[in-house]
Amino acid sequence: FFFQAEDGIRDAQESRGLGDVYKRQLLLLGVPGTAKTWLSEHLAAAVSGDSTLLVQGTAGTAEEAMRYGWNYARLLAEGPSRAAMVPSPVMRAMSEGMTARVEELTRIPADVQDTLITVLSEKTLPIPELGEEVQASPGFNLIATANDRDRGVNELSSALRRRFNTVVLPLPETE
């Protein structure tokens, strides 16, 4: 599959990653067994050389999995600081210009899903506790997967869906 780039750039040498070319991130949608995870893992490895920056979506996935958390011992001892912060895979991908993966996006609670809107539209992650923000480095991308048959636990908001190019993977052929 090939997308026409919104900015007309078709040459990978002129681009710094999927998101730079297509202005939106990638959502792989399909029924279970269509190799969404395999494809996301291999695309992330091909684009940024690493496929380990992963958020596994479940009904219990917290906002910290998308943004950042805290080392509470350091937080209590030193107060809010970068040293006390525990970056999420998404935050690390933004800082390092890498590709983050979010598996089973529709299983994540809607309010946690919506934390991605600012990250994907503004390419920034606010850190209000420090009065700072992380700007996405060139090359930052996000690949998400979701099942379309059971729709997971939560639908994607239209605002979040607009930030993705969606590829519906076909059913595997049976013999």
Side-chain angles (χ1 to χ4, degrees):
F1 46 83
F2 178 80
F3 296 107
Q4 173 63 47
E6 292 176 12
D7 59 6
I9 299 173
R10 295 175 65 125
D11 184 352
Q13 296 300 318
E14 295 179 38
S15 169
R16 288 181 256 167
L18 292 173
D20 290 337
V21 173
Y22 305 119
K23 302 295 185 201
R24 289 186 282 185
Q25 304 308 304
L26 180 61
L27 174 62
L28 301 173
L29 192 63
V31 299
T34 53
K36 298 177 299 292
T37 297
W38 181 89
L39 184 56
S40 75
E41 183 177 352
H42 285 81
L43 282 172
V47 170
S48 61
D50 185 359
S51 64
T52 62
L53 297 175
L54 170 69
V55 175
Q56 181 61 53
T58 68
T61 300
E63 188 175 327
E64 291 80 15
M66 297 290 188
R67 296 172 50 84
Y68 53 87
W70 297 100
N71 175 328
Y72 288 105
R74 273 193 116 152
L75 183 64
L76 291 173
E78 304 168 11
S81 67
R82 284 284 185 141
M85 184 180 296
V86 179
S88 71
V90 174
M91 185 180 200
R92 284 192 48 218
M94 290 180 73
S95 298
E96 299 170 18
M98 302 289 279
T99 300
R101 297 171 43 228
V102 178
E103 295 290 325
E104 303 291 351
L105 183 58
T106 52
R107 298 219 180 261
I108 297 172
D111 60 324
V112 178
Q113 288 178 16
D114 286 345
T115 62
L116 287 175
I117 292 174
T118 302
V119 169
L120 299 181
S121 61
E122 304 298 323
K123 302 292 189 269
T124 186
L125 178 60
I127 308 169
E129 298 89 345
L130 302 180
E132 299 177 9
E133 61 186 23
V134 173
Q135 292 289 324
S137 296
F140 167 67
N141 296 290
L142 189 131
I143 300 173
T145 67
N147 288 330
D148 65 354
R149 178 164 290 167
D150 65 4
R151 299 280 188 223
V153 176
N154 303 285
E155 290 288 328
L156 296 179
S157 70
S158 61
L160 183 57
R161 189 176 278 276
R162 282 192 307 269
R163 281 147 177 89
F164 287 100
N165 279 319
T166 301
V167 175
V168 179
L169 298 176
L171 286 170
E173 294 182 19
T174 56
E175 295 180 23

